């Protein structure tokens, strides 16, 4: 997964820490209280607000449900450091994260159970909701994720919900 964190934040770096855990004393480390004020930390709030509306604790990783460039989605590699990823509550809800630089790739969700679905884009940088709601039918054929209409090269989250069974 992905998360926010300046090194000083995720290590709770504090120069007054008498034990000075290994790894904390590195060049350019920022005290964790200062790192909390960085711009990136405020963006985590947007994801929290999105997840609070969902039964996030039921989500299970399922990157294998994505086809990227016609292939089953894999883990990060040296040539593809940030491939898309997916988590789902099987048959009910699918959350697809498209890190920066992926939106123009052909990406499909496969193995969606038959039925109606509604999908909407979420902007994790600004917290804005749906650009438009997309409606489609699931079934044996993989569904092609459309390219976001605005700032396609940035990070995006696609929320896909089953509307009927």
């Amino acid at each position: 997964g992905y998360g926010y964190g300046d090194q000083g934040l995720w290590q709770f770096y504090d120069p007054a820490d008498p034990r000075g855990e290994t790894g904390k004393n590195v060049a350019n480390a920022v005290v964790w209280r200062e790192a909390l004020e960085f711009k990136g930390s405020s963006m985590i709030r947007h994801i929290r607000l999105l997840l609070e509306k969902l039964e996030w604790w039921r989500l299970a990783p399922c990157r294998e449900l994505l086809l990227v460039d016609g292939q089953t989605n894999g883990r990060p590699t040296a040539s593809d450091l940030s491939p898309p990823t997916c988590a789902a509550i099987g048959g009910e809800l699918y959350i697809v994260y498209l890190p920066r630089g992926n939106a123009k790739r052909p990406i499909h969700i496969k193995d969606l159970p038959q039925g109606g679905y509604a999908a909407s884009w979420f902007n994790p940088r600004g917290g804005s909701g749906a650009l438009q709601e997309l409606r489609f039918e699931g079934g044996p054929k993989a569904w092609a994720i459309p390219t976001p209409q605005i700032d396609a090269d940035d990070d995006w989250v696609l929320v896909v919900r089953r509307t009927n069974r």
Side-chain angles (χ1 to χ4, degrees), residues 115-160:
Y117 292 85
S120 59
W121 289 109
F122 177 79
N123 176 343
R125 297 167 316 285
S128 57
L131 300 173
Q132 67 184 48
E133 188 170 79
L134 311 162
R135 296 218 172 247
F136 66 96
E137 287 291 318
K141 187 175 179 185
W143 179 64
I145 296 175
T147 302
Q149 298 299 308
I150 301 170
D151 299 326
D153 285 331
D154 279 327
D155 293 7
W156 283 99
V157 175
L158 183 68
V159 179
V160 179

Side-chain angles (χ1 to χ4, degrees), residues 55-70:
E55 293 181 9
W56 57 266
W57 59 92
R58 294 181 54 210
L59 290 167
C62 57
R63 70 173 56 244
E64 69 280 357
L65 291 182
L66 299 180
L67 294 173
V68 180
D69 299 327

Side-chain angles (χ1 to χ4, degrees), residues 81-103:
L81 293 175
S82 56
T85 194
C86 182
I89 299 172
E92 299 175 34
L93 175 72
Y94 301 83
I95 306 294
V96 180
Y97 174 54
L98 301 180
R100 179 178 295 129
N102 282 286

Side-chain angles (χ1 to χ4, degrees), residues 98-122:
L98 301 180
R100 179 178 295 129
N102 282 286
K104 293 183 180 176
R105 298 170 79 180
I107 302 171
H108 296 75
I109 303 176
K110 64 180 184 172
D111 301 331
L112 288 170
Q114 192 72 36
Y117 292 85
S120 59
W121 289 109
F122 177 79

Side-chain angles (χ1 to χ4, degrees), residues 2 63 72-84 105:
Y2 296 88
R63 70 173 56 244
T72 299
N73 191 35
R75 297 196 173 278
T77 64
S79 61
D80 189 3
L81 293 175
S82 56
R105 298 170 79 180

